Structure formats: C-alpha cells, structure tokens
C-alpha cells in the first residue's frame, strides 16, 4: 500500500455532466501526475503538477483540468463528460520533479459515464 | 499514443516456472520502469532501470535494458499464484511516464 489516496472509489455520471476527482499525495511528495486507464489499456498521461503549477500535459482536451493545493493534494476536473471518458483514473505522486523517480500510485477512481 | 509495447499480450504459466515479458519503445529515455497491476487497481512499482544500466535484479525479478535496440525484458523467476497480474513497462522521458498496453500473466497452481 502506498500513502496515496483517491476519492471517490467509484462514480457514475451522465453524459454532459462535470466531475471532480481527488487525490492526496504521499507525505513529502510535491509532484502529482494524473493518468486515464481505459479497460484493457495501459495508463495514459493526462497532466502533472509540481508545486501547484502544471508541468506538462498529455494529449487530452482542455475540458480536462486540474489543481494542486499548497498541501500538494490535487484535483482532476472533467467537464462535458463523454461516454469515452469512462475509465479508471489514477493519480501518482513522487518526491520531486527530477527525473528518475518511481511514482507511487493510488488505488484509482472508476468513472462510468452513461 | 503509447510509447511502449509489451510482448506477449498474455502469458499463462505453471507455478514455479519462469515468466519473461518484453517491452519495446520508440524514443530516448531517462529510465524505464516496470509496474504491476492487480485486477484493475492501482499500479505497484517493481523496478527502475536507468538508461546507463544494462541489468538489474530485485528479489525474483531481473530486468534488462538494451538502449541500442530500445527494448527491455522482465523475468520473474519461480512464479507464484500471487504473481498473477498485469505487468506494464513505462518509459520515463522528460519526467513523464508513458505506458504500454501490458502483459497479463496468469500463474496456474
């Protein structure tokens, strides 16, 4: 078990709605990354936050947005939900931005869009 | 798009046998990492190998990296039922992890 927690565990939303997912990073970690994992696929990088600033973004539209707070916890917001947004959303924290660190993953939030 | 590709997609072995899976990638990397995922839950970090390393061991795991061929392999020796999971390679480039689609390993008792 890592020290990364995510809430909620499961979520069901309707197409067009908005959703907020939350992540608490492991103590001492100032970098949080978010990933989307569709069924049967590997995780896809959404974006990363380092000390409250976005530090890179994957190939996701602007309706995917995020925040990182002074305590380094983070939120992922998705607007105008589409059916294809149904996936497992994973957050991962790491101690600092320098390359070469493993990432510590939370258990994920399973989002279903109907 | 996914940077890494694992091979095979699925693997079924008997308890006690070794399991080998391969990963190929496309661009230069800082390091390559292997993760395990049980039943659609969070990923667990297994091992990290840096771009200037060729082989690394951790318990029953052995990882190799060939940067000239842009490939890596993960060997699990003396497999156990608890090793049943999906295994992903992830390349670290510019501090971002890019994952392959994974290898699903089933260890039969």
């Amino acid at each position: 078990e890592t020290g990364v927690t995510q809430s909620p565990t499961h979520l069901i939303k309707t197409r067009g709605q908005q959703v907020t997912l939350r992540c608490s990073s492991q103590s001492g970690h100032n970098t949080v990354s978010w990933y989307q994992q569709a069924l049967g696929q590997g995780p896809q990088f959404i974006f990363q936050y380092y000390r409250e600033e976005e530090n890179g973004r994957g190939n996701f539209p602007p309706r995917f947005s995020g925040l990182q707070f002074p305590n380094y916890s983070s939120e992922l917001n998705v607007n105008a939900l589409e059916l294809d947004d149904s996936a497992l959303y994973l957050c991962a924290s790491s101690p600092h931005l320098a390359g070469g660190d493993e990432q510590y993953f939370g258990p994920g939030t399973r989002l279903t869009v109907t | 798009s996914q940077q890494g590709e694992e091979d095979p997609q699925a693997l079924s072995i008997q308890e006690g046998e070794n399991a080998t899976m391969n990963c190929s990638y496309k661009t230069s990397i800082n390091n390559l990492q292997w993760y395990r995922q049980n039943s659609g839950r969070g990923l667990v970090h297994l091992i990290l190998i840096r771009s200037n390393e060729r082989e690394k061991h951790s318990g029953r795991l052995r990882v190799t990296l060939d940067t000239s061929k842009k490939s890596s392999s993960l060997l699990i020796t003396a497999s156990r039922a608890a090793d049943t999971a999906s295994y992903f390679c992830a390349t670290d480039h510019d501090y971002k992890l890019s994952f392959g689609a994974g290898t699903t390993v089933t260890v039969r008792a």
Side-chain angles (χ1 to χ4, degrees):
Chain A
E1 290 285 331
T2 70
V4 181
T5 61
Q6 291 186 245
S7 63
T9 306
H10 294 90
L11 200 53
I12 300 175
K13 289 286 190 178
T14 303
R15 190 172 46 186
Q17 286 187 318
Q18 177 266 342
V19 69
T20 298
L21 311 181
R22 295 179 175 83
C23 171
S24 291
S25 58
Q26 185 155 317
S27 177
H29 290 187
N30 57 23
T31 303
V32 173
S33 302
W34 284 92
Y35 296 85
Q36 179 196 66
Q37 186 179 21
L39 200 61
Q41 300 295 315
Q44 295 281 320
F45 174 75
I46 302 175
F47 44 56
Q48 180 182 83
Y49 279 84
Y50 170 65
R51 293 185 175 179
E52 303 178 60
E53 297 286 331
E54 186 178 293
N55 179 56
R57 188 180 184 91
N59 189 26
F60 282 81
R63 58 189 186 85
F64 285 78
S65 63
L67 281 174
Q68 188 180 31
F69 301 100
N71 66 354
Y72 302 132
S73 65
S74 178
E75 284 183 356
L76 164 65
N77 299 290
V78 187
N79 294 321
L81 284 166
E82 300 177 359
L83 296 179
D84 284 349
D85 296 332
S86 294
L88 181 68
Y89 288 85
L90 297 161
C91 81
S93 71
S94 53
H96 45 73
L97 186 56
D101 287 325
E102 66 181 89
Q103 295 194 9
Y104 295 75
F105 282 81
T109 293
R110 174 75 62 186
L111 172 65
T112 301
V113 182
T114 62
Chain B
S1 64
Q2 302 197 285
Q3 149 92 302
E5 289 186 11
E6 287 94 342
D7 171 60
Q9 288 186 325
L11 188 57
S12 179
I13 57 174
Q14 201 74 28
E15 204 165 22
E17 293 181 336
N18 296 341
T20 300
M21 58 210 86
N22 303 296
C23 169
S24 59
Y25 59 92
K26 297 172 184 170
T27 65
S28 63
I29 59 172
N30 297 322
N31 62 67
L32 186 143
Q33 304 179 31
W34 286 88
Y35 287 82
R36 186 187 74 224
Q37 185 176 41
N38 292 85
S39 302
R41 296 189 55 77
L43 279 75
V44 174
H45 182 265
L46 295 176
I47 197 165
L48 180 154
I49 186 165
R50 302 192 187 281
S51 58
N52 61 353
E53 297 176 310
R54 292 296 167 258
E55 187 171 315
K56 202 161 184 180
H57 296 254
S58 177
R60 295 184 295 113
L61 305 179
R62 172 179 169 255
V63 168
T64 62
L65 179 64
D66 186 336
T67 53
S68 67
K69 295 181 179 179
K70 292 186 169 59
S71 67
S72 174
S73 68
L74 170 66
L75 168 67
I76 306 172
T77 61
S79 62
R80 306 166 182 169
D83 294 329
T84 294
S86 293
Y87 292 81
F88 296 90
C89 69
T91 52
D92 184 340
H93 175 71
D94 197 22
Y95 316 136
K96 317 298 187 295
L97 289 183
S98 296
F99 288 84
T103 293
T104 300
V105 175
T106 303
V107 181
R108 307 185 306 273

